[in-house]
């Protein structure tokens, strides 16, 4: 099992991790991805996700390939390969930033006149190569955007001006998640 410290929805998990990892494992005749799962927090927000892998042959040979591939695909810090012998192999290098947008406490004209797609587009543009959007979550009172990159501090710095100036980002919470 690969435990990903990534708050990504199942469809995004499949596109980002499962399909590419499955392709690599099958091309090398090492195994295949057999499924995945998502653990929800009490709030309904994604806490983490898993990928189930069936290996053929040597775990010793497959382990470095899986670790390298999952990190290349963008695994955040705090991710791990969970082995049958209760052994855990830490993996993941990216840091995570969640931006929680207030979904009910802003003036009505803000929700009418602003667009979350503009928020996503501007944040991605401001981040450049410093981070990328992995997924999002829509809760009852807020929407979370999950970005991962080499440095939480850099992501905060690059997005600070936009977050502090765009009306839909008023009262936004910025939280380190990996």
């Amino acid at each position: 099992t690969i435990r990903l410290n990534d708050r990504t929805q199942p469809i995004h998990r499949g596109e980002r991790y499962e399909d590419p990892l499955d392709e690599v494992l099958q091309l090398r005749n090492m195994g295949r991805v057999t499924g995945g799962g998502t653990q929800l927090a009490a709030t309904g927000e994604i806490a983490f996700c898993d990928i189930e892998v069936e290996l053929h042959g040597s775990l010793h040979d497959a382990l470095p390939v899986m670790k390298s591939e999952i990190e290349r695909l963008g695994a955040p810090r705090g991710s791990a390969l969970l082995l049958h012998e209760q052994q855990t192999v830490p993996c993941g290098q990216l840091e995570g930033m969640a931006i929680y947008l207030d979904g009910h406490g802003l003036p009505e004209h803000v929700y009418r006149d602003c667009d979350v797609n503009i928020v996503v587009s501007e944040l991605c543009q401001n981040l450049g190569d410093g981070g990328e959007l992995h997924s999002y979550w829509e809760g009852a009172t807020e929407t979370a955007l999950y970005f991962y990159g080499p440095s939480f501090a850099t992501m905060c710095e690059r997005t600070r001006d936009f977050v502090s100036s765009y009306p839909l980002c008023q009262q936004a919470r910025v939280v380190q998640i990996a």
Side-chain angles (χ1 to χ4, degrees):
T1 301
I2 301 169
R3 168 88 23 101
L4 296 165
N5 185 27
D6 193 328
R7 298 181 186 192
T8 190
Q9 295 180 29
I11 189 74
H12 301 142
R13 180 189 69 232
E15 293 168 351
R16 175 172 294 279
Y17 298 109
E18 291 174 15
D19 296 344
L21 179 62
D22 186 58
E23 186 176 323
V24 166
L25 290 174
Q26 289 199 42
L27 281 173
R28 294 179 180 218
N29 293 317
M30 292 182 153
R32 65 187 181 100
V33 171
T34 58
T38 302
Q39 178 65 47
L40 300 179
T43 61
E45 184 177 10
I46 294 170
F48 62 85
C49 55
D50 287 337
I51 299 172
E52 299 294 326
V53 177
E54 178 184 288
L55 295 176
H56 310 291
S58 167
L59 175 63
H60 178 75
D61 293 338
L63 201 56
V65 171
M66 287 193 307
K67 182 178 180 195
S68 174
E69 185 65 12
I70 215 72
E71 287 179 344
R72 185 189 70 75
L73 295 169
R77 287 186 331 189
S79 298
L81 305 174
L82 309 176
L83 310 178
H84 290 301
E85 307 86 35
Q86 305 301 333
Q87 181 184 4
T88 300
V89 177
C91 65
Q93 298 176 354
L94 299 182
E95 296 186 357
M97 175 181 74
I99 299 179
Y100 292 89
L101 304 173
D102 186 332
H104 74 287
L106 301 177
E108 190 58 41
H109 70 88
V110 171
Y111 299 113
R112 183 186 66 238
D113 299 340
C114 295
D115 185 346
V116 72
N117 294 308
I118 291 173
V119 174
V120 170
S121 176
E122 289 293 322
L123 292 174
C124 289
Q125 184 176 348
N126 289 335
L127 286 171
D129 63 356
E132 67 178 323
L133 180 71
H134 278 205
S135 199
Y136 62 90
W137 169 71
E138 295 176 284
T141 61
E142 60 188 354
T143 296
L145 305 172
Y146 304 121
F147 296 90
Y148 294 87
S151 166
F152 172 73
T154 299
M155 289 189 290
C156 287
E157 181 182 312
R158 289 184 179 183
T159 58
R160 183 174 293 119
D161 289 345
F162 178 78
V163 170
S164 67
S165 66
Y166 192 69
L168 192 57
C169 296
Q170 293 175 52
Q171 301 178 49
R173 295 184 301 122
V174 178
V175 178
Q176 185 167 6
I177 56 173

